[in-house]
Amino acid sequence: MKRVSFTWFIKCLVSVSAVCAAVFVAGCSKGEESGNRRPTNPDSLIILGNSALRNEKYDEAVEYYEAAFEADNNHTKAIIYSTIAKIAKISVDRKVVDLFKNRFGFTNYPNRLNALLSDDWLTKYPEEYILWSYRDEEIGKWVYWHDEWYVNSGYYPDIQKIGYYYQEYDYNSYNYLYFFVSDSPIYEKGSEYLLPGLTVPNWIKGGSDSWYNETLMSTDKAHSFETWCLLLFANAVDKNTAGLNTVLDELISSVFGGSFVDACNRIKRLENNKTAAITLDRDFIEALYLDEIIDEYDLIGWAEVNAITSCMVGVKACLEWMAAYDWDTDLNFLKYAWKSDENDFYEHIKTIDSRNLPFNNNFLNARPGKMGVAKASFVTAIQGIKASYDAIITSNLYPTEVKNAYPTINDGIGKLLSAIQTGGKFYIPQAPTEGSWPTSGGTDVLLGVDMGLFFQEGYFSLKNVFETENGKPTFYADGVKLTLSNYGTAIRDAEDYIGLKFKTATINNIVFDFPELYEEVPELTNGSDGWIVGMFPPALAKTLFEKYYNK
């Protein structure tokens, strides 16, 4: 059975760096617990903390590490252990608990590490797969599942809806003929996942003809991994109907607030003694599955822990960069139990107030001032990582073969920092551990990035990404621009999905000298006036066009 706990969610919602730091404390093996009398020596307190971890008493272990720091706030081992413990404690801070309960609908998210790292609050969800083929004994034939691609491609006139079909070869037309059998998918169960229980919003239940009744609410699928993902989406919509600005802001403030700031400040106490280092217990290393990259003889000090906290600041900067765009848009229209008939979806879309549609509201426009905050955090993160690399390169603690690649990487970090600060261009080489870091394009360069445009407020706003006319998106059917006079016929006769025109210059100006991308997506080649991206089935495109153009 696969256990998908808080670690999995932080990987999705925060970062690998934050997870590694949180699990750093939580994953140790079992051992003995101390008596009731607490010593005051930091080394003894750390031993007791490790013993508590081995007995899976995580909250108690965190308290021991904190006590070790309080006993001697200049003690190297106490600083490192207590810093990592503070980061681990973030996962059960009140704000984080409230975030997962109130913004994502986790019903039993605990407020203690002991509970969080147990399986007691999690529920089993099996992974399910559609059975793509099987032998139907009633008709004596093999049948095959055909999805929406077959329905919409135009190459299979016999396939009018998603479902199982059997095929026979027609010697008169020299083509295969397809015969419908059933539109009810058959599922196979795969691995089981342990996931948090989620609330079920009332609106999702619908009636007997609701699409959700056939998926989320039906008895045989109420606990599948796939429908859990849909239910998580439903909770995100239900609890954030105004959009995602508040979620992003709360995520940043709760994860990277007080405890994390304290942890960053604490590790600064080692800046005057950057050569001080400790080794990790062998059992601790094995418990974290670090055997292939570290052993009990490797030393960890200021440089390593500072790199961890700096990487986490980098994650914070990425979230702040996202939060620099406006993600608010009215999501109430999604709080609707769609009927099994897809036309019900298109009819419901007609009820949306056109003022709440992207392009007509502030969706993905710049949130003034926030890009500057993100840029400052990126600078802080990169400065911290560079400081760690500088310390490693000049340290006698590392063998030469370990340090050989660091000067090139460190040079690249310095050039990235300069490009961000000056709004210049940054080049990423094919081999980032060899030679000198490039300052211009060439065969040794993978791609270049214009950091000035990357941190330009609103650069990726919808009006800069898609072609518009008087602030409204322009629609295309089979390459023909839709107008009020031709849209009905053009959409009706379209052979493909209706699309919007993507401004290729938006990407070409910010990412350049990238031959691999141009090979994969030739539409992005320099000089193209735009790339029509098929996005909407005809019925939806017609409704949206009429709303945007007041038809």
Side-chain angles (χ1 to χ4, degrees), residues 84-307:
I84 296 169
K86 266 195 169 295
I87 294 173
K89 195 73 172 177
I90 292 172
S91 59
V92 288
D93 278 356
R94 181 186 59 80
K95 286 186 176 181
V96 174
V97 174
D98 290 345
L99 177 73
F100 278 94
K101 285 186 174 181
N102 300 333
R103 294 296 180 184
F104 296 100
F106 288 13
T107 53
N108 297 310
Y109 189 89
N111 60 2
R112 292 183 61 80
L113 282 174
N114 287 345
L116 180 66
L117 296 169
S118 74
D119 295 340
D120 296 342
W121 70 287
L122 301 172
T123 304
K124 293 180 182 178
Y125 292 88
E127 189 174 20
E128 294 187 335
Y129 305 92
I130 289 179
L131 187 64
W132 291 102
S133 65
Y134 68 93
R135 180 165 179 84
D136 190 318
E137 297 301 336
E138 291 187 9
I139 60 177
K141 297 180 181 293
W142 280 90
V143 299
Y144 301 87
W145 180 260
H146 293 78
D147 58 22
E148 61 182 7
W149 184 86
Y150 290 88
V151 176
N152 298 321
S153 69
Y155 301 124
Y156 302 90
D158 296 332
I159 300 177
Q160 298 295 315
K161 62 179 180 177
I162 297 172
Y164 287 107
Y165 292 78
Y166 70 87
Q167 61 187 39
E168 292 183 351
Y169 189 74
D170 182 4
Y171 290 94
N172 294 321
S173 64
Y174 302 105
N175 289 313
Y176 280 100
L177 302 178
Y178 294 84
F179 300 90
F180 178 75
V181 176
S182 169
D183 59 1
S184 298
I186 298 174
Y187 292 91
E188 290 184 299
K189 293 189 181 298
S191 303
E192 284 191 329
Y193 292 85
L194 284 170
L195 295 164
L198 294 168
T199 58
V200 179
N202 287 329
W203 55 267
I204 210 171
K205 299 176 183 178
S208 60
D209 61 346
S210 166
W211 177 73
Y212 291 125
N213 191 60
E214 297 298 323
T215 55
L216 297 178
M217 303 308 302
S218 59
T219 303
D220 61 332
K221 289 185 64 60
H223 293 297
S224 75
F225 176 71
E226 289 75 13
T227 52
W228 182 89
C229 295
L230 287 173
L231 191 55
L232 178 62
F233 172 78
N235 272 278
V237 169
D238 185 68
K239 299 178 183 304
N240 304 280
T241 52
L244 302 180
N245 284 352
T246 301
V247 176
L248 280 170
D249 293 343
E250 288 186 4
L251 181 61
I252 294 166
S253 65
S254 60
V255 174
F256 300 100
S259 294
F260 179 68
V261 172
D262 288 345
C264 292
N265 290 333
R266 187 165 295 186
I267 199 62
K268 290 179 180 179
R269 301 186 72 85
L270 292 178
E271 285 185 342
N272 294 327
N273 189 14
K274 294 181 180 179
T275 59
I278 64 171
T279 57
L280 298 177
D281 182 80
R282 180 178 177 81
D283 291 335
F284 181 76
I285 293 169
E286 290 179 351
L288 292 175
Y289 305 102
L290 299 174
D291 309 61
E292 295 184 2
I293 60 174
I294 195 172
D295 59 36
E296 66 268 33
Y297 305 108
D298 290 326
L299 296 170
I300 293 178
W302 173 86
E304 290 75 18
V305 183
N306 180 67

Side-chain angles (χ1 to χ4, degrees), residues 71 85 100 114 155 157 177 234 295 366 392 418 452 476 510 519 524 529 537 541:
F100 278 94
N114 287 345
Y155 301 124
L177 302 178
D295 59 36
I392 290 172
S418 176
Y476 286 82
I510 196 171
E519 288 179 8
L524 290 177
D529 66 345

